[in-house]
Amino acid sequence: MGGGECRSNDYGAAAYWDARYSSPSPSSSTGGGAFFDWYQTYPALRPLLRARLPTSSRVLMLGCGNSLLSEDMVKDGYEEVVNVDISSVVIEQMREKHMDVRDMRLFGDGTFDCVLDKGFLGLITYGCPKERVQLLYQAGSHKKIELYIMPTPGYQLKWSKGVSLAQPIMEEVSLTADGQLPPDYVLKDPESHFIYICQKPDAANGANSVVANEGETITSK
């Protein structure tokens, strides 16, 4: 798969997720109350998050699902992580606050230092730059966007011949002037995950924004 190809999915209906999280079927990786992490686990993302996000940051986790990401972050020292999701079923399962991920009325401006999105909008995602960068800039809230590309856990395990890596494979890739992959760039793993890190316009005043996953923003001070 070259730089111009990518894989993208759209799961916009709450009913779809309610049914999926309610499903007892073993073929449903997210159902039956089991835990499931889309894309990457916290240990794989930890080097990037710890380098940019202080443990004292207030973190909003968009589309938390039944991932262990929030739990693992708290175990690792993060002091405040708030989870929101479109599915009332998974919120009940996770015994967290029941709210729609799209409803931000409970949170005033500046409530969080960071917003983490792994699989919701696409900050840690299969969505390649031609599908994501323009959308991130459209809102006018990002001054700078950085891109990291990370092979899937399965590819990394195969590449290491079954030996767990001390540090996960993660490559920073410079985007072109129009926010795309370099024309000669070739993905090592066709199913690679794209991680977008965004800086907000007020970054010069000491705040940094990290966008991860399908439309995720992480802001840290």
Side-chain angles (χ1 to χ4, degrees):
M1 180 184 291
E5 301 178 53
C6 57
R7 168 179 164 182
S8 178
N9 295 304
D10 177 21
Y11 303 115
Y16 168 84
W17 291 108
D18 284 346
R20 182 160 178 166
Y21 286 122
S22 300
S23 173
S25 171
S27 62
S28 175
S29 54
T30 56
F35 295 106
F36 180 76
D37 268 301
W38 292 88
Y39 304 109
Q40 300 286 343
T41 62
Y42 177 67
L45 297 172
R46 185 180 187 276
L48 182 62
L49 294 177
R50 290 302 295 261
R52 292 176 173 270
L53 190 63
T55 55
S56 59
S57 299
R58 296 161 297 174
V59 180
L60 175 63
M61 187 74 67
L62 298 181
C64 62
N66 54 14
S67 167
L68 291 174
L69 181 59
S70 297
E71 180 180 336
D72 287 343
M73 288 181 68
V74 171
K75 289 179 178 178
D76 196 33
Y78 283 94
E79 299 171 5
E80 185 176 355
V81 182
V82 175
N83 296 306
V84 294
D85 199 278
I86 193 174
S87 170
S88 60
V89 172
V90 76
I91 288 294
E92 182 177 351
Q93 289 176 351
M94 298 293 281
R95 297 181 181 178
E96 298 288 351
K97 291 182 179 179
H98 176 191
M99 63 179 64
D100 188 331
V101 67
R102 300 164 298 180
D103 186 357
M104 296 289 112
R105 290 174 297 178
L106 292 179
F107 309 123
D109 291 344
T111 298
F112 296 99
D113 300 309
C114 162
V115 179
L116 249 177
D117 166 17
K118 186 168 73 75
F120 171 56
L121 298 173
L123 298 181
I124 301 172
T125 176
Y126 285 120
C128 60
K130 73 175 183 179
E131 294 184 343
R132 294 291 181 264
V133 172
Q134 184 178 0
L135 295 175
L136 294 173
Y137 277 128
Q138 273 180 357
S141 60
H142 300 126
K143 179 179 179 181
K144 179 182 178 182
I145 297 177
E146 300 173 19
L147 172 68
Y148 287 79
I149 296 180
M150 197 170 186
T152 60
Y155 178 91
Q156 296 195 42
L157 191 62
K158 182 179 179 181
W159 181 85
S160 65
K161 298 181 179 179
V163 179
S164 298
L165 299 174
Q167 291 289 338
I169 302 171
M170 187 185 301
E171 178 184 9
E172 183 175 7
V173 178
S174 297
L175 295 169
T176 61
D178 60 348
Q180 303 305 313
L181 288 173
D184 58 347
Y185 185 83
V186 178
L187 292 174
K188 297 179 179 65
D189 174 13
E191 300 294 313
S192 287
H193 300 148
F194 297 88
I195 302 174
Y196 298 93
I197 299 176
C198 302
Q199 286 187 348
K200 298 180 70 174
D202 61 352
N205 298 325
N208 293 317
S209 263
V210 179
V211 176
N213 167 324
E214 248 194 301
E216 163 183 289
T217 306
I218 302 172
T219 307
S220 62
K221 293 181 179 178

